[in-house]
Amino acid sequence: MSALNVAKFGGTSVANFEAMSRSAAVVENNPDTRLVVSSACSGVTNLLVELANGVQAQERRNEILSQLAEIHDAILNQLQDASETAAEVYALLDTVTSLAEAASIQASTKLTDHLVACGELMSTHILTQLMKERGLNTVRFDIRDVLRTDSNFGRAEPDVTQIALLAQEKLLPLCRDFIVVTQGFIGSDLDGNTTTLGRGGSDYSAALIAEGLKATGLEIWTDVPGIYTTDPRIAPKAAPIPEISFAEASEMANFGAKILHPSTLVPALRHDIPVFVGSSKEPEKGGTWIRHEAQSSPLFRALALRCNQTMVTLRSAKMFHAYGFLAKVFEILAKHKISVDLITTSEISVSLTLDKTNTSGGAPELPQAVRSELEELCSVEVEHNLCLVALIGNHMETKGYAKEVFSTLGDFNLRMICYGASDHNLCFLVDAHDSKKVIQKLHQDLFEQHN
């Protein structure tokens, strides 16, 4: 097979019959597309997460289950022959019902992964049948037979070597004869337990599979025509970016640009697989190509926003000219598997933000057990209701850029500023209620006035 393209469709691209039909047309228009990776139908994962977190009220559980049935029934009712597909979907809804009841008694990360995975399992049954009815030679494949991970439920780590071996053994032969429809976001551990790669993990799993298949291209189809200079819903004059480098796109994804999962580009970068991001609603509008190197590298490329941030400030006079204090702090955090995102230090304090991308969503929390251990070393202050603003660009060590940025932010209170680890980003924390105003002001002064 000389060319093999992997196309991933997000939740809005498989939200209903019309959306699925548009996505099928996208597949039809590229004969090189041999693997389709699908998310759950729009809104389904949020409902499943609510159930997984433990809904004790039977009335609310029934309400959610009815919503799930309605979402899928609405598509099934528009298929020409839905009998077998409907049976598969209803069987999965029965599984959801049982797991939701179990979660109402005692929730767990293992149970959560099993439950939320049902969204992708249902959507791929329906999408496969829809594509068959359009005349496409399509087969459904359970990606848990290929995407091997560890047992860190909620945020499983993939076994890249195993994925590559199993993809070549089980998926590649199917891709030669069929268009294969499979699931994003989910995998399985060595014991066969269902795992997930964390919220937004569909993009990441698509990239891992593309890497395993040695694909020549990866397409990420969503509800916006490519990557913009910032979220157009916040700054209406945000402009599309035709081409961007892997480095820039990785920074954007990491710092909150919802169009890509932070880990998506790592497998593509390892094998130099070009990634295209476009809208399945408006494929004619084109999109953004992400390549190893972009032809242009402007000082300011884009702005990203990530809310629900938690900042932890640790203070101790013992830090002054002391050895090993930070080592002890990070030893405690590592022991409890607490991931740190940003960090700044002074002589007697260190501030850091907590990273969280697991399935349960929401703002990261500092568990009481961790706090208690840290308080043996220092005072601990935890702040919520913060947002991270990231300015993405190139060669940001350039003289004068900081004056241009910070003069724009004179009316806002900046809680933390981080720069230096990369010349592709400058990021800072602001109060949540100021976050959109900060994005609008920066975009107006740094992007709109430069055009």
Side-chain angles (χ1 to χ4, degrees):
M1 201 180 301
S2 58
L4 193 161
N5 185 63
V6 174
K8 181 264 173 179
F9 293 95
T12 55
S13 296
V14 292
N16 50 43
F17 183 83
E18 292 74 21
M20 281 193 178
S21 298
R22 286 192 296 265
S23 296
V26 167
V27 175
E28 289 170 346
N29 288 332
N30 186 351
D32 291 336
T33 298
R34 308 303 300 169
L35 184 72
V36 173
V37 178
S38 177
S39 295
C41 299
S42 183
V44 166
T45 300
N46 287 339
L47 294 171
L48 294 173
V49 167
E50 184 178 347
L51 290 173
N53 287 339
V55 177
Q56 294 186 349
Q58 180 72 51
E59 185 177 348
R60 176 56 185 158
R61 285 209 307 276
N62 290 341
E63 183 182 329
I64 295 171
L65 292 165
S66 293
Q67 287 179 265
L68 290 169
E70 287 169 9
I71 290 170
H72 296 96
D73 277 340
I75 313 175
L76 289 166
N77 290 338
Q78 295 187 67
L79 295 175
Q80 296 167 21
D81 181 8
S83 54
E84 290 185 16
T85 305
E88 297 284 1
V89 171
Y90 297 154
L92 285 163
L93 286 172
D94 287 342
T95 298
V96 170
T97 302
S98 300
L99 292 172
E101 187 173 347
S104 72
I105 300 169
Q106 184 173 7
S108 70
T109 54
K110 182 177 180 180
L111 188 152
T112 294
D113 277 5
H114 194 173
L115 203 161
V116 298
C118 292
E120 276 71 13
L121 296 173
M122 289 188 286
S123 69
T124 48
H125 275 296
I126 297 173
L127 181 59
T128 301
Q129 179 61 21
L130 184 146
M131 290 174 64
K132 285 180 179 178
E133 292 183 2
R134 292 175 67 97
L136 296 169
N137 188 23
T138 310
V139 66
R140 180 181 179 273
F141 183 83
D142 192 328
I143 202 59
R144 291 174 294 184
D145 292 339
V146 164
L147 209 146
R148 289 284 183 267
T149 72
D150 64 11
S151 300
N152 185 22
F153 299 105
R155 193 181 177 186
E157 285 294 322
D159 184 332
V160 176
T161 302
Q162 276 298 305
I163 292 169
L165 288 171
L166 292 168
Q168 290 291 316
E169 176 191 338
K170 297 186 176 185
L171 260 184
L172 189 58
L174 276 179
C175 290
R176 293 193 179 104
D177 298 327
F178 300 93
I179 296 172
V180 181
V181 174
T182 195
Q183 306 80 29
F185 176 57
I186 68 176
S188 66
D189 65 12
L190 291 176
D191 296 322
N193 297 307
T194 298
T195 59
T196 68
L197 301 182
R199 293 305 295 268
S202 291
D203 292 346
Y204 186 26
S205 57
L208 288 164
I209 300 161
E211 178 185 34
L213 289 172
K214 300 178 182 177
T216 52
L218 171 62
E219 296 172 355
I220 306 291
W221 294 97
T222 179
D223 56 355
V224 292
I227 299 173
Y228 279 64
T229 47
T230 196
D231 188 337
R233 292 169 296 186
I234 298 175
K237 292 186 178 179
I241 304 171
E243 187 182 51
I244 190 171
S245 70
F246 275 122
E248 294 169 304
S250 295
E251 297 283 8
M252 287 188 70
N254 187 54
F255 288 114
K258 293 181 180 179
I259 200 162
L260 287 174
H261 184 272
S263 302
T264 299
L265 298 173
V266 175
L269 181 58
R270 282 195 293 251
H271 286 267
D272 202 15
I273 301 171
V275 178
F276 177 80
V277 180
S279 169
S280 60
K281 290 183 178 180
E282 302 172 300
E284 70 280 357
K285 286 192 173 181
T288 302
W289 279 102
I290 306 170
R291 306 184 193 277
H292 187 72
E293 296 290 342
Q295 290 187 350
S296 67
S297 53
L299 178 60
F300 302 131
R301 175 72 87 181
L303 289 161
L305 178 65
R306 189 171 74 202
C307 287
N308 283 327
Q309 297 299 285
T310 300
M311 182 168 72
V312 178
T313 301
L314 311 174
R315 292 188 177 90
S316 173
K318 296 177 183 177
M319 282 182 65
F320 189 71
H321 288 174
Y323 296 99
F325 178 82
L326 281 179
K328 291 178 182 177
V329 167
F330 281 97
E331 181 182 338
I332 292 170
L333 295 174
K335 182 174 72 174
H336 292 275
K337 296 185 177 179
I338 302 295
S339 179
V340 171
D341 192 12
L342 306 180
I343 180 168
T344 60
T345 63
S346 73
E347 287 291 357
I348 62 167
S349 66
V350 54
S351 291
L352 50 88
T353 61
L354 305 182
D355 187 21
K356 182 176 182 181
T357 58
N358 67 8
T359 304
S360 61
E365 297 290 344
L366 187 70
Q368 184 56 49
V370 183
R371 182 167 188 151
S372 297
E373 284 195 52
L374 289 172
E375 286 177 339
E376 294 177 10
L377 295 175
C378 56
S379 67
V380 179
E381 180 184 354
V382 180
E383 294 180 64
H384 298 288
N385 298 317
L386 298 168
C387 291
L388 173 66
V389 174
L391 175 61
I392 312 299
N394 296 277
H395 311 297
M396 291 176 68
E397 74 279 4
T398 303
K399 183 179 179 180
Y401 97 92
K403 179 181 179 182
E404 191 172 3
V405 174
F406 290 111
S407 62
T408 296
L409 299 171
D411 293 334
F412 301 101
N413 181 28
L414 306 185
R415 299 292 292 109
M416 177 193 281
I417 301 170
C418 286
Y419 172 74
S422 165
D423 64 0
H424 286 292
N425 78 74
L426 165 70
C427 49
F428 38 87
L429 284 179
V430 297
D431 292 330
H433 61 79
D434 285 334
S435 60
K436 290 184 179 179
K437 295 176 185 175
V438 169
I439 291 288
Q440 289 164 353
K441 181 63 174 169
L442 283 170
H443 196 273
Q444 180 182 351
D445 289 5
L446 303 183
F447 292 83
E448 294 169 29
Q449 293 185 11
H450 283 198
N451 292 336

